[in-house]
Amino acid sequence: MTDFNAVAGKTSLLGLSKDEIFSLIDGEKKFVASNIYSFLMEGKDFSEMTSVRKDLREKLSETYYSNPVKILEKFTGKSGTVKYLFRLPDDNLIEGVYMPHNYGNTLCLSTQIGCRMGCKFCASGLDGLVRNLTPGEMLGQVIAVNRDNGGSVKDRAVTNLVLMGSGEPFDNYDNVLRFLDRVSEEGGINISERNISVSTSGLVNKIKDFADSGHKVILSISFHAPFNELRSSLMPVNNAYPIEKLMEAARYYYSATGRRVIFEYTLIKNENDSDACAEEIAKLTKGFPSHVNLIRLNEVKEHNHKAPTENATEEFLAKLTKLGVSATIRKSLGNDIEGACGQLRRRYLSDKR
Ligand code: SAH
Ligand code: SF4
C-alpha cells in the first residue's frame, strides 16, 4: 500500500487515522494507544510522552515522526497576527499565519511546497512546485500552532482554518481530502468543516469532485478578473478552465452543498479595477448566493504589478455594492509582517543563500 505520509525515510504517525494508529499499536493495552493518540494531538514529541513505556516510544520513533512540522521562526505583527516559518523533515520550508479574531482564531496553512499554477502576482509560484505536502504535514501545522499558542485538544487555540498558504489545494487533492478527514476526526483536534475554507485557483473538474465528495467546507475561488483575456494573463489556469466553466462549477458546488461560494478578488492597479470589471462581476454573480472578498495586492518585488490605494479599493467596493454584489474588503493576511504567503519563505531562503 502507498504510504501517503512518507517523507525522508520515515512517516508521520500524526497523518494516520485513530483506527490506523490503534491497529498499529496492536498488542498493547487499548489505553496505551489512546494515550499516544491524545499526546500526538497535543503536539507532544515521543520523548515527552513519559507515561508511555520507553522501549515502545523508542521503537515508534525509529519509523515515525510524532509531528513532522517544526517551528523554525515566528514573527509577531500588529493585532496579534503571527507568521510562522516551518521546517519539514527533508529541510524544506513552508509558512503559515495565525490570526486571532473575536470569533475565534484562524490558521492559514500551506498544502504544497511552492506551486505550479504560475499566477503572475503570487510569490508562491515563483519557483514552481517543489512537492506536495502529506496529510501529516498539513495536520502538523495545525497541531504545532495550536500548541505554540497555548491550545490543547479540549481547549483549542486554533478554531478556524483556511487552506490559503502556499500551494494549490486541488493540485494535491487526495492528500487534502485525507487531511480534512484527520482534522475533523472525533477525539482529535476536531475542527468542524463549517470552520474550514479551501481556496482554489479554479481547477474545475476538482471543484465538481469536491462538491460530490461529501465534505462541506467553505469554497473560495480565486477569481481576480471577470474577462477571459485578462484572467488568462494573470492566471494561466484560465486557459484550461475559462470563466464560463468556472462559474458553472461554482454553481454546481452551491447546489450540491448548499454553501455559498466566496470569490477572492485581489485588486491590481489599472488592471482589474475598472468600472467594466465591476459591472461584469455583478453580471456573473447575479442570482447566485456568493460573496466577493476584495484584497489589495501585496506587491511582490519579482512581479511588476502595483497595488491600488486604500481609497481606490473602497471606491471599487462601493461600485460593487451599488451594483447589488455582496462584497467586503479583506485585510490581507499578516501584510505588516511579510506580504502574502510565499514571500517570507523566499526572503528566508535568499538571506541564507
Ligand atoms: N492556490 C490557492 C490558495 C493559496 S493562495 C489559490 O490560489 O486560491 C491564497 C490567496 O492569495 C489566493 O486568492 C491568491 O490569489 C491570493 N494571492 C496570491 N498572491 C497574492 C498577492 N501578492 N497579493 C494578494 N493576494 C494574493
Ligand atoms: Fe498557486 Fe494560488 Fe499562488 Fe496561483 S495564487 S500561484 S494557485 S498559490
Side-chain angles (χ1 to χ4, degrees):
M1 209 181 86
T2 318
D3 181 354
F4 306 109
N5 284 295
V7 181
K10 287 198 206 179
T11 189
S12 310
L13 203 51
L14 197 58
L16 304 184
S17 72
K18 197 175 184 175
D19 286 347
E20 284 167 331
I21 294 176
F22 273 50
S23 58
L24 192 126
I25 308 174
D26 198 21
E28 297 290 331
K29 295 218 166 56
K30 191 128 193 184
F31 76 88
V32 177
S34 176
N35 278 349
I36 291 176
Y37 181 76
S38 304
F39 285 139
L40 287 170
M41 291 294 142
E42 300 283 354
K44 297 241 160 70
D45 203 53
F46 289 124
S47 63
E48 295 173 286
M49 303 182 186
T50 46
S51 61
V52 178
R53 269 191 356 260
K54 203 168 173 211
D55 63 312
L56 178 58
R57 286 189 276 137
E58 281 173 359
K59 202 169 133 225
L60 286 172
S61 65
E62 280 164 20
T63 320
Y64 298 100
Y65 306 110
S66 45
N67 186 346
V69 177
K70 301 279 173 251
I71 296 171
L72 180 63
E73 279 190 31
K74 61 180 186 177
F75 306 84
T76 305
K78 292 181 196 125
S79 60
T81 301
V82 186
K83 192 138 190 178
Y84 286 92
L85 195 62
F86 303 111
R87 191 200 295 280
L88 303 176
D90 58 358
D91 284 339
N92 269 305
L93 304 178
I94 48 166
E95 52 194 276
V97 188
Y98 176 74
M99 295 160 284
H101 303 294
N102 47 14
Y103 58 82
N105 306 319
T106 303
L107 172 66
C108 170
L109 64 116
S110 295
T111 55
Q112 295 181 313
I113 304 164
C115 181
R116 65 183 176 130
M117 306 312 291
C119 301
K120 301 290 185 245
F121 45 83
C122 175
S124 294
L126 282 166
D127 295 327
L129 176 68
V130 179
R131 69 167 171 85
N132 283 330
L133 294 187
T134 66
E137 288 170 326
M138 290 181 238
L139 184 57
Q141 297 170 65
V142 181
I143 300 290
V145 172
N146 188 54
R147 179 177 185 178
D148 192 55
N149 288 282
S152 62
V153 167
K154 286 205 177 64
D155 188 15
R156 283 169 295 148
V158 175
T159 55
N160 296 59
L161 300 176
V162 291
L163 276 62
M164 288 193 188
S166 70
E168 163 53 53
F170 288 169
D171 190 36
N172 186 15
Y173 184 80
D174 292 340
N175 280 353
V176 164
L177 260 66
R178 288 182 190 107
F179 160 70
L180 291 175
D181 288 337
R182 290 295 78 76
V183 80
S184 54
E185 197 166 56
E186 228 173 286
I189 187 96
N190 198 359
I191 297 179
S192 153
E193 290 207 332
R194 70 181 66 241
N195 295 332
I196 303 178
S197 297
V198 172
S199 177
T200 178
S201 57
L203 295 174
V204 162
N205 51 352
K206 290 295 191 297
I207 294 176
K208 291 186 175 162
D209 289 350
F210 194 54
D212 294 333
S213 72
H215 289 278
K216 281 199 168 38
V217 308
I218 301 159
L219 181 70
S220 286
I221 294 180
S222 295
F223 196 56
H224 308 326
F227 300 110
N228 277 320
E229 201 181 327
L230 178 60
R231 193 165 188 271
S232 296
S233 74
L234 294 170
M235 305 179 70
V237 65
N238 195 67
N239 290 307
Y241 301 110
I243 292 170
E244 313 72 70
K245 295 252 175 342
L246 183 57
M247 292 309 291
E248 188 197 309
R251 284 171 197 272
Y252 185 77
Y253 190 80
Y254 173 72
S255 62
T257 64
R259 311 216 69 174
R260 74 175 184 169
V261 172
I262 310 290
F263 292 103
E264 305 288 333
Y265 199 91
T266 295
L267 270 179
I268 310 174
K269 190 178 172 183
N270 295 338
E271 293 189 59
N272 65 357
D273 55 352
S274 64
D275 290 357
C277 282
E279 282 155 22
E280 192 64 17
I281 294 172
K283 265 193 225 158
L284 289 169
T285 55
K286 202 169 165 46
F288 167 45
S290 59
H291 183 80
V292 175
N293 251 334
L294 294 177
I295 310 141
R296 275 179 70 217
L297 177 77
N298 262 303
E299 291 178 7
V300 174
K301 71 175 185 329
E302 292 84 349
H303 293 308
N304 206 12
H305 300 285
K306 294 280 168 248
T309 61
E310 281 190 29
N311 273 348
T313 310
E314 295 283 354
E315 276 167 31
F316 195 80
L317 173 68
K319 271 180 225 161
L320 287 181
T321 309
K322 201 161 164 226
L323 289 161
V325 178
S326 158
T328 40
I329 297 175
R330 196 185 72 194
K331 297 270 172 277
S332 52
L333 309 174
N335 60 356
D336 59 326
I337 309 172
E338 185 59 53
C341 258
Q343 288 173 272
L344 180 64
R345 166 177 174 264
R346 285 189 65 82
R347 195 190 55 183
Y348 186 89
L349 290 174
S350 63
D351 283 355
K352 305 271 151 174
R353 264 173 200 156

